[in-house]
Amino acid sequence: MIAVDADYVGQTGYLGAGASAAYLATAIGSDPDWIRRVTLNVGRVTAVTATGLQLAEPLLAACRHRGCRRSRS
């Protein structure tokens, strides 16, 4: 499994790529990976290559900008 989402450090409100995964009234500034623990933007990895991953289905949100990172489980 892989989770992909943007970095929302210092932001408040509804957060999450594609579908909001959380609402924050107070910004979290010390953990840049917290959103990937609650994101709905997840996929099943079917193959690993030298340059990327192949997923069984497309992600809910594409996350094509540089602010997106992945988290593995």
Side-chain angles (χ1 to χ4, degrees):
M1 295 294 291
I2 189 167
V4 178
D5 215 315
D7 290 330
Y8 296 101
V9 173
Q11 296 186 28
T12 59
Y14 290 99
L15 307 177
S20 297
Y23 178 85
L24 289 181
T26 304
I28 295 177
S30 61
D31 184 4
D33 293 323
W34 70 269
I35 189 68
R36 283 171 284 283
R37 290 192 284 274
V38 298
T39 188
L40 301 175
N41 203 30
V42 297
R44 183 171 56 90
V45 177
T46 57
V48 178
T49 69
T51 59
L53 301 173
Q54 181 177 358
L55 302 179
E57 300 288 333
L59 294 170
L60 179 65
C63 260
R64 291 188 174 101
H65 58 84
R66 291 179 187 237
C68 286
R69 295 188 341 183
R70 57 105 174 106
S71 178
R72 293 184 280 173
S73 64

